[in-house]
Amino acid sequence: MILNWSRLKYICLGILVTLLTVLQVDKSIHLGQQPVVAAVTVESNLNRSPTALVQEGKERYQLGQFTEAIALWQQAAEVFAKNSDFPNQAAVLSNLALAHQQLGQWQQGNESISQSLNLLKGKNGEMLAQALNIQGSLQLAQGETEQALTTWEQATNVYQKLGNQVGVNQSLLNQTQALRVLGLYARARKTLEQINQNLKDQPDSLLKVVSLLNLGDTLRVVGKLDTSVEILQQSQAIAQKLKSQPHISVASLSLGNTAAAQQQPEEAIKYYQQAIDTATSPNTKLQAQLNQLRLFADTKKAAEFQALLPQIQPQIENLPPSRTSIYARVNFVQSLQKAQQKRQIAAPILATAIQQAKSIGDLRAESYALGYLGELYEQNQQWNEAQKLTEQALILAQSSNAAEISYLWQWQLGRVSQATGKPEVAIDAYNQAVKTLANLRKDLVSGNADIQYSFQESIEPIYRELVGLLLEPQKTKKIKNATDINQKNLQKALDLIESLKVAELDNYFGEDCLINQTAKIDQVDKTAAIIYPIILRDRLEIIVSLSNQPLRHYTTNISAIELEKIIREMRSSLRPSLGQKQRQAIAQKAYNLIIQPIDADLANSGIKTLVFVLDGSMKNIPMAALYDGKQYLVEKYSLAQTPGLKLLAPKPIQQKQLKILIGGITESRQGFSALPGVEVEIQGIKSEIPTEVLFNETFTSKDFQRLMRGTPFPVVHLATHGEFSSNADNTFILTWDNRLNVKELGELLQIRDEDSNTPIELLVLSACQTATGDKRAPLGLAGVAVRSGARSTIASLWSVDDNSTSQFMIEFYNQLANSQVTKAEAIRNAQLAILKQPQFQNPYYWAPFILVGNWL
């Protein structure tokens, strides 16, 4: 199992309800809430009652021994069929469908649930609702999302007729999984709110405890981390009131997982310790210990890691064969690898996991164990063994329809092939991994079907490494022209980077909600150049797209670490206190890396606008401040940024009379300082363009929504504090009464009819800044730009002097009122106007204002 705790919010939560017992299968979070028992060989069951067979099957299922569960339940189903006990036969068939699903045996699972539903035809009781829940789970796992939603809606209706509120809540939770995959996020959110309200009305009981636990885990999956904490704490409080020790410990475990998702490792470790101290189930205790061990490895707490290790190892070695056991072993080995501890015992542990998986017939679990054993051999440069094991793992994953595992082994084969000097084989393997990821994207961002991953660790490197392979011939010289590499590979590399940008923002939102509209440069702006800097481990690649010309390509051999250092230096140099000579020397270093190689080609092509699709931490520095030794880049070109051309459809601004809605705050609010210059800024804008203003206490979320709904403003200008962060929940705009995070802001800005002929041409955020010390904070700015629905967004990379900001904004709108000026030209002219003033010549005052999106 891929256990990357930095993205725990993507953990799958599947609520699967059997007819005989509620089996809350949270495969990625808990090892199981039942005690670990010794494995028992399935003996002849001819003389055993079907009830006993069902019960033992349930126990085997909960231990992850799905093959044994199937054998027991099949025998029970045959006995019930012979006795014409059709209701119990239907129940067991539904259980069988669940077990087949766990093993990826879709045909058998579908047949079992169809037989169950046929036996229940004409019935309208709880068995039917539970069978429908299981059918929906099978449908979702096979990509039949709309059918799954319909099936779960039918289950909800049945539960409602029965007055079974617990069943209603469970089937509604299932619906939210399908809604997210379909991109119906507003409905998913309303459904979660409905479940929460339903639970508030219920009396305290263990059923309420369990329902709240499920809701809290679901909220973590969908990224509502603060709400997840609140719900899980409610669940734990009721469990404490009812003195239910098992539920208290499980709630602590879930709270630890949410704290880990919030990147609060100390808080998570504390919750895991509570779970360890209070657990009545060995499995709950072991899962908490494993999670804690991983965090000790991640946070480099060597002493704590060493102290916990001997407590876990005997438990791992004594686990009976089951999927739970196999995943626990893989988890344990990953922590050993991360902490570089006792690596010599890793291979035997994985070898045991492989044998256990074979013994229980679990192909998915066997694939996991084989693949990670192959990774061990790869790390030891034992290439033949690594290749054989990885190929075996891939065959098993594909035969189980486990795409979420397949891409890992395709990537691994690519790495091994590259290391052994087989570039064509490596490229093919990487292409297969990317193709698998493309098919998986909805699942990856919606936390569906066993998928849990860290984007930066498990997804992004695949794209970058393949780009590096496609552009490999450029590695031998300092700088080389694009004509030395074929256009097909250049276009493939460009397509990969565009796809990576889309996937990056999907991951940021935890939603597959972005519109992909590829824009060809010659159809957009013949005087613009699109520049793609691509940061690879050992070099900087730059691809340039010019109108009606072949793609151009340049390579500079510089390590990612060295490049990061230069970027950090430039960012820190853009402060008023640093001397001009030192600042410009650093800015010239960055210029020589990014622009100097392409300078002549840009000049010879009549280019007026440079549009950057920036990579990594480059997004933290303003391109306008790059310096060639004589001029800043903004003195030579109009500039813009875009998260990627697939993420926008550039169109010129509609030349109707502009009308602006301004929301502004001057007073200190919610812990933020006053912004006295905002009033001057607003008055200056009002003097240029017709304006409606929400000011201080009138700038509330409610009034903002009312005006957005009632009047089609082409320009929305927010002169208020805000922050861009790598976490969507922490990217926000301040109103008088609220903090609107990026998703909420997007909902407010998009409330008018999509068919409106007056889209938001421009969103201006004049007092925002990127979160300090957050390398990926510009994702927040890109997220606002995309999610707002505005064609263009202007924002600042840091909070700027009030006086220069108000002057910049007034001059910008003065320029924009000129129908012959593009947005990129308007922002450039405003920056030049500030630059010419002696007191504002430092880029600190004018450079942070960037245009994201449509530059026309």
Side-chain angles (χ1 to χ4, degrees):
M1 177 152 297
I2 312 163
L3 295 167
N4 292 304
W5 302 108
S6 60
R7 287 293 182 272
L8 268 167
K9 65 183 177 183
Y10 294 101
I11 289 172
C12 154
L13 179 72
I15 297 168
L16 308 177
V17 184
T18 70
L19 301 187
L20 303 176
T21 181
V22 176
L23 295 180
Q24 290 159 348
V25 183
D26 191 349
K27 298 175 286 294
S28 307
I29 299 171
H30 307 305
L31 286 174
Q33 299 175 18
Q34 300 297 320
V36 176
V37 296
V40 180
T41 305
V42 179
E43 302 171 350
S44 174
N45 296 295
L46 295 176
N47 299 320
R48 298 179 63 192
S49 72
T51 304
L53 294 172
V54 168
Q55 180 58 32
E56 187 179 346
K58 168 193 161 184
E59 292 168 0
R60 296 302 182 93
Y61 182 98
Q62 291 175 322
L63 288 169
Q65 299 170 350
F66 305 119
T67 303
E68 288 92 333
I70 287 171
L72 290 159
W73 283 338
Q74 282 175 337
Q75 294 175 55
E78 290 172 6
V79 175
F80 285 132
K82 286 178 182 177
N83 297 335
S84 299
D85 187 347
F86 301 126
N88 276 323
Q89 183 189 357
V92 176
L93 286 167
S94 292
N95 287 347
L96 276 168
L98 279 177
H100 284 306
Q101 180 184 349
Q102 292 289 346
L103 295 173
Q105 298 170 350
W106 306 115
Q107 183 178 345
Q108 296 96 316
N110 291 332
E111 288 173 357
S112 294
I113 198 64
S114 293
Q115 291 176 37
S116 177
L117 287 168
N118 283 335
L119 289 169
L120 295 169
K121 193 174 290 182
K123 311 286 184 184
N124 202 30
E126 196 157 312
M127 283 188 181
L128 174 63
Q130 292 167 330
L132 288 168
N133 264 339
I134 292 167
Q135 185 182 45
S137 175
L138 280 162
Q139 289 167 333
L140 186 70
Q142 294 172 87
E144 300 169 358
T145 311
E146 291 181 356
Q147 296 95 313
L149 179 59
T150 300
T151 301
W152 280 328
E153 286 172 341
Q154 292 172 5
T156 305
N157 291 335
V158 174
Y159 279 127
Q160 285 172 337
K161 289 176 182 176
L162 295 170
N164 183 338
Q165 195 58 55
V166 173
V168 168
N169 291 335
Q170 288 169 338
S171 55
L172 285 172
L173 277 171
N174 284 343
Q175 284 184 41
T176 63
Q177 297 181 71
L179 290 169
R180 283 171 53 74
V181 176
L182 292 169
L184 302 173
Y185 303 103
R187 276 186 62 187
R189 183 175 178 178
K190 285 182 180 177
T191 302
L192 286 170
E193 289 170 353
Q194 178 187 341
I195 296 165
N196 199 9
Q197 191 58 48
N198 291 345
L199 291 171
K200 284 180 181 177
D201 296 335
Q202 288 184 19
D204 290 345
S205 66
L206 288 181
L207 285 175
K208 185 174 183 179
V209 170
V210 171
S211 295
L212 285 167
L213 273 171
N214 283 331
L215 178 58
D217 285 338
T218 302
L219 287 164
R220 177 177 61 251
V221 170
V222 303
K224 297 292 181 183
L225 302 179
D226 291 341
T227 313
S228 171
V229 172
E230 292 175 13
I231 296 297
L232 291 171
Q233 286 175 339
Q234 288 177 33
S235 175
Q236 189 172 56
I238 298 171
Q240 288 168 339
K241 180 181 174 182
L242 299 174
K243 298 181 180 179
S244 176
Q245 204 62 42
H247 294 95
I248 293 170
S249 58
V250 170
S252 293
L253 180 56
S254 287
L255 282 163
N257 290 335
T258 299
Q262 291 174 310
Q263 298 186 30
Q264 298 174 356
E266 296 302 325
E267 190 75 5
I269 288 169
K270 182 186 77 173
Y271 277 124
Y272 291 144
Q273 191 59 50
Q274 290 176 9
I276 293 166
D277 293 340
T278 62
T280 57
S281 159
N283 280 350
T284 301
K285 180 178 180 179
L286 179 56
Q287 182 63 80
Q289 288 175 318
L290 284 168
N291 291 3
Q292 198 177 62
L293 189 73
R294 174 56 62 92
L295 283 178
F296 287 152
D298 287 341
T299 54
K300 304 190 186 313
K301 293 181 181 290
E304 291 87 343
F305 188 96
Q306 289 292 348
L308 185 56
L309 202 58
Q311 298 177 45
I312 294 177
Q313 190 172 342
Q315 296 180 71
I316 291 289
E317 292 172 351
N318 293 323
L319 285 172
S322 68
R323 176 176 288 183
T324 292
S325 166
I326 295 156
Y327 287 170
R329 289 172 185 275
V330 173
N331 184 355
F332 184 57
V333 167
Q334 286 182 313
S335 292
L336 292 175
Q337 291 290 99
K338 201 170 189 78
Q340 297 186 334
Q341 295 287 332
K342 293 195 174 184
R343 300 174 82 169
Q344 70 277 9
I345 69 171
I349 290 173
L350 288 176
T352 301
I354 293 166
Q355 291 304 315
Q356 286 190 346
K358 287 180 177 177
S359 72
I360 63 174
D362 192 330
L363 300 183
R364 286 188 179 213
E366 185 181 352
S367 175
Y368 266 124
L370 277 167
Y372 283 114
L373 185 57
E375 184 182 48
L376 284 182
Y377 280 107
E378 178 196 1
Q379 291 171 353
N380 290 330
Q381 299 185 11
Q382 294 172 269
W383 305 118
N384 288 336
E385 292 84 353
Q387 181 177 335
K388 289 176 184 176
L389 288 164
T390 307
E391 286 172 344
Q392 292 173 35
L394 180 58
I395 290 169
L396 290 175
Q398 290 175 330
S399 66
S400 303
N401 298 311
E404 73 279 2
I405 312 173
S406 298
Y407 89 88
L408 289 170
W409 311 146
Q410 289 162 340
W411 177 22
Q412 194 158 292
L413 279 175
R415 297 195 305 269
V416 171
S417 299
Q418 184 182 12
T420 52
K422 303 170 187 171
E424 291 184 3
V425 177
I427 287 172
D428 182 61
Y430 272 98
N431 277 326
Q432 291 300 318
V434 169
K435 184 178 178 181
T436 302
L437 282 172
N439 294 330
L440 270 174
R441 210 174 85 209
K442 280 183 181 290
D443 291 334
L444 287 171
V445 299
S446 62
N448 182 43
D450 274 342
I451 298 169
Q452 117 177 246
Y453 72 108
S454 162
F455 184 83
Q456 287 179 272
E457 293 176 18
S458 303
I459 305 298
E460 188 174 345
I462 298 175
Y463 288 86
R464 293 194 185 279
E465 289 166 19
L466 179 52
V467 168
L469 278 169
L470 291 169
L471 304 180
E472 189 65 39
Q474 304 307 308
K475 191 175 180 180
T476 55
K477 292 185 180 179
K478 177 78 174 175
I479 294 176
K480 215 171 179 185
N481 193 277
T483 54
D484 294 325
I485 197 163
N486 69 64
Q487 287 291 306
K488 184 178 178 182
N489 275 6
L490 279 175
Q491 189 60 56
K492 278 184 179 179
L494 208 56
D495 291 342
L496 279 166
I497 291 301
E498 285 283 357
S499 297
L500 176 60
K501 301 300 180 185
V502 174
E504 188 176 45
L505 279 175
D506 281 350
N507 169 252
Y508 175 76
F509 286 113
E511 298 173 356
D512 178 24
C513 59
L514 305 177
I515 299 171
N516 300 331
Q517 297 181 345
T518 303
K520 292 185 178 179
I521 180 62
D522 54 355
Q523 296 174 354
V524 176
D525 182 359
K526 293 183 179 181
T527 65
I530 313 297
I531 301 173
Y532 296 81
I534 305 166
I535 301 172
L536 300 179
R537 179 183 55 82
D538 57 349
R539 63 197 193 272
L540 174 66
E541 302 277 11
I542 296 177
I543 299 176
V544 182
S545 176
L546 302 172
S547 177
N548 295 318
Q549 294 187 37
L551 293 171
R552 296 168 189 255
H553 167 241
Y554 314 83
T555 300
T556 301
N557 290 337
I558 181 172
S559 72
I561 294 172
E562 189 180 348
L563 181 59
E564 285 278 351
K565 182 182 176 184
I566 293 171
I567 291 169
R568 284 197 307 272
E569 286 178 351
M570 181 169 175
R571 171 76 186 212
S572 62
S573 74
L574 295 170
R575 59 182 190 270
S577 59
L578 195 68
Q580 177 175 301
K581 187 175 181 181
Q582 185 180 356
R583 181 179 63 252
Q584 289 180 342
I586 295 170
Q588 191 168 357
K589 272 189 194 178
Y591 183 97
N592 290 341
L593 284 170
I594 302 170
I595 302 298
Q596 191 274 331
I598 62 177
D599 238 341
D601 284 342
L602 294 174
N604 295 334
S605 301
I607 296 301
K608 295 181 179 179
T609 304
L610 305 184
V611 182
F612 292 92
V613 184
L614 292 176
D615 196 22
S617 58
M618 280 188 182
K619 299 168 191 168
N620 278 310
I621 58 173
M623 294 294 104
L626 298 182
Y627 190 70
D628 69 358
K630 296 179 180 178
Q631 291 179 298
Y632 291 107
L633 190 61
V634 73
E635 296 180 88
K636 301 165 70 171
Y637 299 100
S638 297
L639 305 171
Q641 293 183 24
T642 172
L645 289 181
K646 286 186 177 182
L647 300 168
L648 81 159
K651 295 178 182 178
I653 191 166
Q654 294 187 9
Q655 293 300 336
K656 298 178 181 179
Q657 185 181 34
L658 292 180
K659 188 174 182 181
I660 304 177
L661 170 62
I662 297 181
I665 296 177
T666 60
E667 299 180 18
S668 58
R669 199 76 184 156
Q670 300 183 45
F672 288 90
S673 59
L675 295 168
V678 164
E679 190 165 4
V680 177
E681 181 179 325
I682 291 173
Q683 293 305 319
I685 295 170
K686 285 178 69 176
S687 68
E688 299 291 339
I689 297 175
T691 302
E692 180 119 15
V693 179
L694 294 172
F695 188 61
N696 282 339
E697 62 270 10
T698 65
F699 181 31
T700 64
S701 303
K702 185 176 180 181
D703 285 334
F704 183 43
Q705 180 174 353
R706 174 180 54 80
L707 283 178
M708 285 300 301
R709 191 183 297 278
T711 309
F713 293 98
V715 180
V716 177
H717 183 110
L718 303 179
T720 178
H721 283 291
E723 188 166 278
F724 306 120
S725 165
S726 57
N727 185 325
D729 286 339
N730 294 332
T731 292
F732 64 89
I733 303 297
L734 196 72
T735 63
W736 185 259
D737 62 336
N738 200 1
R739 289 188 185 187
L740 296 175
N741 69 37
V742 60
K743 294 183 182 181
E744 294 165 335
L745 179 65
E747 289 171 6
L748 279 179
L749 292 172
Q750 296 185 56
I751 56 176
R752 64 183 145 195
D753 190 346
E754 289 181 359
D755 297 329
S756 171
N757 292 321
T758 54
I760 298 175
E761 296 282 357
L762 180 62
L763 171 66
V764 180
L765 307 170
S766 77
C768 296
Q769 62 182 356
T770 53
T772 304
D774 187 344
K775 290 182 181 179
R776 292 166 65 84
L779 273 176
L781 174 53
V784 170
V786 171
R787 190 60 178 262
S788 69
R791 287 181 174 170
S792 310
T793 300
I794 291 177
S796 56
L797 288 174
W798 58 80
S799 189
V800 194
D801 172 82
D802 258 8
N803 190 12
S804 60
T805 298
S806 59
Q807 288 190 45
F808 170 84
M809 289 299 170
I810 292 166
E811 180 60 28
F812 168 74
Y813 284 111
N814 180 43
Q815 293 287 328
L816 198 64
N818 180 348
S819 62
Q820 303 304 311
V821 175
T822 66
K823 296 170 191 172
E825 290 169 334
I827 196 170
R828 176 184 181 231
N829 292 338
Q831 286 177 314
L832 292 176
I834 302 300
L835 170 59
K836 289 175 183 176
Q837 300 180 42
Q839 72 273 30
F840 294 139
Q841 286 185 345
N842 190 318
Y844 169 83
Y845 296 103
W846 51 264
F849 301 105
I850 60 172
L851 174 66
V852 180
N854 175 20
W855 62 91
L856 297 176

